[in-house]
Amino acid sequence: MRKSFQLPLLSSLPALLLACGDRDDLSRYNRVQYSSYEQCMQANRAAVTQGMTNPCQKSGRGAYGPYVRYLGGGTRYVGYTTTGGVATSGLSYDKQGRASSFKAPGVSRGGFTSSARSGGSFGG
């Protein structure tokens, strides 16, 4: 007698891995910490010029710059709301330096990532 097994999960695994391969969520972004809010705003003035209203967020130790993700085709930046939350849209720069807006990603179960560096600037 021969028994056969059906493994629907394994047959759909390649499609599932492909769909999750390059998720865009904030756990894949980094942010720079600055000594002061003013220093952060100065370093990220290009973001304001391009339309980002809140590129910096005050913290107990200074301020955080926007969330940044470097991609093969450009860079993405996500700022903050006036109440300190994460903005619902961000700025995206392509390889040629052209700016456009995009729908900001959500927070994954992995949470936020941050950088303890005290310098840096907004690209563009």
Side-chain angles (χ1 to χ4, degrees):
M1 182 185 326
R2 182 179 170 154
K3 292 184 178 182
S4 64
F5 296 94
Q6 292 184 352
L7 300 172
L9 180 61
L10 288 179
S11 65
S12 64
L13 188 59
L16 180 64
L17 290 174
L18 184 61
C20 296
D22 192 28
R23 286 188 334 231
D24 190 26
D25 60 51
L26 284 181
S27 69
R28 295 174 181 259
Y29 285 65
N30 294 304
R31 29 180 212 174
V32 174
Q33 185 175 354
Y34 296 87
S35 300
S36 69
Y37 182 79
E38 292 74 23
Q39 182 188 24
C40 180
M41 288 300 290
Q42 180 68 23
N44 292 288
R45 66 178 175 256
V48 175
T49 303
Q50 294 294 333
M52 186 178 281
T53 55
N54 296 301
C56 301
Q57 179 186 48
K58 291 181 182 180
S59 74
R61 294 180 282 168
Y64 284 104
Y67 287 91
V68 181
R69 182 170 183 204
Y70 301 101
L71 304 167
T75 309
R76 289 185 164 186
Y77 300 87
V78 178
Y80 306 94
T81 64
T82 56
T83 58
V86 178
T88 57
S89 64
L91 286 177
S92 181
Y93 285 91
D94 64 14
K95 286 182 181 180
Q96 289 75 33
R98 293 180 296 234
S100 61
S101 63
F102 74 102
K103 183 180 182 301
V107 179
S108 76
R109 285 177 288 172
F112 297 117
T113 59
S114 65
S115 171
R117 293 187 306 254
S118 62
S121 64
F122 189 92

